[in-house]
Amino acid sequence: MTTPPHTASEGAELLPVATAARTRAALRTLVRPDRGLALTGIGVLVAATVVGLLVQPLLGRIVDIVADGRPAGDLTLPVVLLIAVAAVQGFTTTLGLTRVARLGETVLARLREQFVERALNLPADRLERAGSGDLTARVTGDVARVTEAVRSALPEMARSVLAIGLTLGALALLDVRFLLAALLAVPVQLLTARWYVRRAVTLYADQRVANGAQQQQLLETIGGAVTVRGHRLEERHTERGADRSRKAVDLTMRSVNLVLGFYGRLHIAEYIGLAAVLIAGFWLVRDGAVSIGTATAAALYFHSLFGPVNAALVLLDDAQSAAAGLARLVGVTDLAEQPEPKPGEPGPAGKPEPGKPEAAGKPDAGKATRGKAMPGKAVPASVPRQRVASPEAAVSVHAVSHAYGPGRPVLHEVSLTLAPGEHVALVGASGAGKSTLARIVAGVQQPTAGTVTGPTAGTVTAPAGPGGPSVVLVTQEVHVFTGTLADDLRLARPDATDDDLRAALATVDALDWAAALPDGLATVVGEGGHRLDAARAQQLALARLVLADPALAVLDEATAEAGSAGARALERSAGAALTGRTALVVAHRLTQAVAADRVVVLEAGRVVESGPHEMLRDADGPYAALWRAWSGSRAAPHP
């Protein structure tokens, strides 16, 4: 389970954080596939620690030989044994730490893959409520903290815990009174650990939240810099950024003071324990219970505990920070596993397995399930939607409603049917619900109510290619991935040949400029490479659509970023990419509506008109008003 989501300032609802019990369960699940590696690594470390414990008795033996005035030749055997112990301990420690480190890296890679996979499945509206800064902080800061803990803290913690336990056992073997003396330090150490953990858990969790809020403010200010300057909001945004930075710095300084107090208490425990062992040794040697060498070995044993005890307790700092980060990562993966509940209602009791549709007899059969969507990229829904066979319709939307939280309805019982091969344009004012409906039809967002159904493979005029997606969404927010142009295109179809790539580019009128790049298809594009302007980036997204070859294409203002000069050319590219397939187009320009088979007009989340462009243009309705305003006509409306 997860805790309720944090709420940042100004109403942002941050992503949830998993409880401690859920985090531990997730960690066990991550480690379970590599139990053999874990047991082997710990076993080798145990052997290395046991061998290392022979050093103190051997040194004590040397002290006894010298104290008794024995010949120098008697020192040969203990010295040779010390060298052998060092060699064996070094080899076994290296082997054990290597296996533990391999375990940590394997678990870390599994965690990263799981987090990225499930983060991509988060519904768009949930991410919008949280803000990109929260997810960015988790992807960067929290993953870094967990990575650091796995690579450094995990092996050292395993080694330290084993050394502590076995060294205390060795003290008992020398004389149980040495162990009792050493244990006088334990109450101070336990109180120190308790004092630290009780403060560190909430402090580090608050620090992660503050860092997320700081990043969110920074992203908003930089991303909207033009608007900020245009409205003279620089001072206000600077104050907000400074306020969030002050909160982050304050929490950081509190953590520094906490660590300093932690170290100070540990030093007190060391002095108490060492003094007790030395006093016990003095009494036992005076009474003839033990030799000077044995008392020396006991003191050396306790002194050797300084390192592992301090390391184990100090690593609580890394452990608590990593635990807070891991809880935030698990909170995201758990959120992605469960469908969004309806406002005011609990979430569904179960969900179909990934890749498997719900049973046809269930009440929710046919409901669109969430899938992956990346802005501007032709991306299939990662979980196939339940498709009900229908010879009459390629897509059928029945009584779909959606709300972004209680009291924020966007769609109201929208019903819409797309025939096989039909191109339907969605038009309406900003905020009418066009993009929301497009995402629901594409399967990347789950509706609050209603169903989305479609035909089975083979009943549409342009079935998806082998293994290809049945639905592809292309939005106006284009992202060009860093890499070669060929690699960027193959995101849609990894097995595509260079000829396939050129054919897709030619379809959307992009082959000429692509061939003119310095290295053609091998040209590095994206961040740090050849920069593509908005129109070319959109053509790249449309070429990916062609390569994916879906049965249904959904374009959400996919030509909006092109300037007026390139708008017509980009619309021709979009038209070519949609040829032979069913399409739903959120029209940014009404020229797209003219080219569509049918126009659907949305107002305030409801369908108010539907029909061919000519019919709606000549009618005295909402579309006619939009057409007159867009075309600049002042002719009186027809009666």
Side-chain angles (χ1 to χ4, degrees):
M1 71 181 284
T2 56
T3 60
H6 296 283
T7 301
S9 60
E10 300 179 12
E13 182 184 338
L14 301 185
L15 297 169
V17 177
T19 61
R22 176 67 192 102
T23 303
R24 289 192 295 270
L27 186 59
R28 288 193 297 270
T29 301
L30 289 169
V31 175
R32 189 173 296 122
D34 298 291
R35 285 175 295 184
L37 182 61
L39 293 175
T40 304
I42 292 175
V44 175
L45 284 179
V46 169
T49 305
V50 170
V51 171
L53 291 176
L54 296 175
V55 172
Q56 288 83 355
L58 288 172
L59 291 175
R61 180 64 176 167
I62 292 175
V63 170
D64 283 337
I65 291 174
V66 174
D68 294 342
R70 298 179 190 177
D74 291 352
L75 296 174
T76 303
L77 180 60
V79 169
V80 171
L81 290 177
L82 280 174
I83 296 173
V85 165
V88 174
Q89 185 186 23
F91 173 77
T92 52
T93 299
T94 301
L95 180 61
L97 290 177
T98 299
R99 298 191 71 82
V100 172
R102 182 181 301 171
L103 170 68
E105 291 295 336
T106 303
V107 172
L108 179 62
R110 190 175 295 123
L111 172 65
R112 282 173 166 170
E113 292 169 1
Q114 187 180 94
F115 177 81
V116 171
E117 176 187 359
R118 295 186 179 169
L120 290 175
N121 279 298
L122 290 175
D125 58 304
R126 186 64 185 86
L127 287 177
E128 290 170 359
R129 295 202 303 272
S132 56
D134 185 32
L135 186 61
T136 301
R138 300 187 191 218
V139 172
T140 55
D142 292 323
V143 170
R145 291 286 179 144
V146 175
T147 299
E148 182 181 355
V150 166
R151 290 179 175 170
S152 58
L154 177 62
E156 188 62 30
M157 177 68 82
R159 182 182 177 184
S160 298
V161 170
L162 289 173
I164 293 169
L166 294 174
T167 301
L168 291 176
L171 276 172
L173 289 176
L174 292 179
D175 192 294
V176 71
R177 285 168 287 190
F178 285 127
L179 174 61
L180 295 177
L183 292 179
L184 291 177
V186 172
V188 179
Q189 291 167 336
L190 292 179
L191 289 174
T192 298
R194 182 184 179 188
W195 172 84
Y196 175 77
V197 170
R198 290 176 62 182
R199 288 161 175 79
V201 172
T202 55
L203 179 58
Y204 283 119
D206 292 343
Q207 194 174 7
R208 299 267 69 78
V209 172
N211 289 339
Q214 183 185 29
Q215 288 195 34
Q216 175 65 28
Q217 181 62 45
L218 182 62
L219 290 172
E220 289 178 352
T221 301
I222 294 177
V226 175
T227 303
V228 170
R229 288 195 297 267
H231 290 273
R232 299 295 188 269
L233 299 174
E234 296 93 339
E235 184 176 349
R236 182 184 303 176
H237 276 257
T238 300
E239 289 176 356
R240 290 177 182 173
D243 180 63
R244 296 188 180 185
S245 295
R246 280 192 296 270
K247 290 180 181 178
V249 170
D250 178 64
L251 289 170
T252 300
M253 294 307 301
R254 285 173 56 189
S255 67
V256 170
N257 291 330
L258 182 66
V259 171
L260 291 176
F262 177 68
Y263 281 124
R265 287 168 171 80
L266 287 184
H267 293 325
I268 294 174
E270 291 174 357
Y271 296 147
I272 291 174
L274 184 57
V277 170
L278 291 174
I279 292 172
F282 173 78
W283 285 341
L284 292 174
V285 170
R286 187 188 62 179
D287 295 341
V290 298
S291 67
I292 296 176
T294 301
T296 301
L300 291 174
Y301 269 138
F302 186 82
H303 187 272
S304 70
L305 284 175
F306 285 9
V309 168
N310 288 348
L313 294 178
V314 168
L315 287 175
L316 286 174
D317 180 67
D318 294 333
Q320 293 303 319
S321 181
L326 182 60
R328 284 161 55 82
L329 298 179
V330 174
V332 172
T333 59
D334 284 352
L335 180 65
E337 282 185 321
Q338 301 174 0
E340 285 280 286
K342 299 178 183 180
E345 297 181 12
K351 73 183 190 73
E353 296 179 14
K356 295 183 180 180
E358 298 178 86
K362 292 184 179 181
D364 289 337
K367 179 177 286 187
T369 58
R370 291 192 304 273
K372 299 176 182 177
M374 300 187 70
K377 175 189 171 188
V379 181
S382 61
V383 181
R385 296 179 300 134
Q386 170 73 7
R387 291 194 170 274
V388 179
S390 173
E392 295 85 12
V395 177
S396 178
V397 177
H398 178 67
V400 162
S401 298
H402 190 72
Y404 293 113
R408 298 172 57 194
V410 178
L411 297 176
H412 305 273
E413 296 188 350
V414 173
S415 293
L416 176 66
T417 298
L418 279 73
E422 183 182 23
H423 290 185
V424 174
L426 282 179
V427 301
S430 178
K434 305 185 298 298
S435 294
T436 301
L437 180 58
R439 291 199 297 264
I440 289 174
V441 171
V444 299
Q445 186 160 315
Q446 187 174 357
T448 302
T451 58
V452 179
T453 59
T456 55
T459 61
V460 294
T461 57
S470 57
V471 183
V472 164
L473 170 68
V474 182
T475 73
Q476 63 175 318
E477 298 173 352
V478 179
H479 182 76
V480 179
F481 291 86
T482 301
T484 67
L485 179 64
D487 289 341
D488 205 305
L489 288 166
R490 286 194 177 98
L491 290 170
R493 204 173 93 200
D495 61 346
T497 65
D498 285 352
D499 289 339
D500 294 331
L501 304 185
R502 293 187 184 95
L505 289 169
T507 300
V508 298
D509 295 328
L511 184 58
D512 289 342
W513 65 256
L517 292 175
D519 297 310
L521 293 176
T523 302
V524 176
V525 295
E527 192 70 27
H530 187 89
R531 302 300 294 268
L532 302 180
D533 60 29
R536 290 183 176 182
Q538 286 286 8
Q539 285 181 317
L540 179 60
L542 292 171
R544 287 196 290 245
L545 168 64
V546 173
L547 287 167
D549 193 22
L552 171 64
V554 179
L555 270 59
D556 184 4
E557 296 189 352
T559 62
E561 293 301 320
S564 300
R568 292 298 177 90
L570 195 54
E571 287 172 10
R572 287 195 298 270
S573 298
L578 298 179
T579 300
R581 66 184 94 252
T582 307
L584 179 66
V585 179
V586 176
H588 178 70
R589 297 177 177 85
L590 291 189
T591 50
Q592 296 171 293
V594 174
D597 300 317
R598 181 158 52 98
V599 179
V600 173
V601 183
L602 286 181
E603 276 190 4
R606 291 181 171 85
V607 175
V608 294
E609 275 190 311
S610 177
H613 161 74
E614 292 81 2
M615 182 184 76
L616 298 183
R617 180 196 60 192
D618 295 337
D620 187 15
Y623 182 78
L626 287 172
W627 177 259
R628 288 194 299 271
W630 181 82
S631 62
S633 172
R634 294 296 182 268
H638 291 279

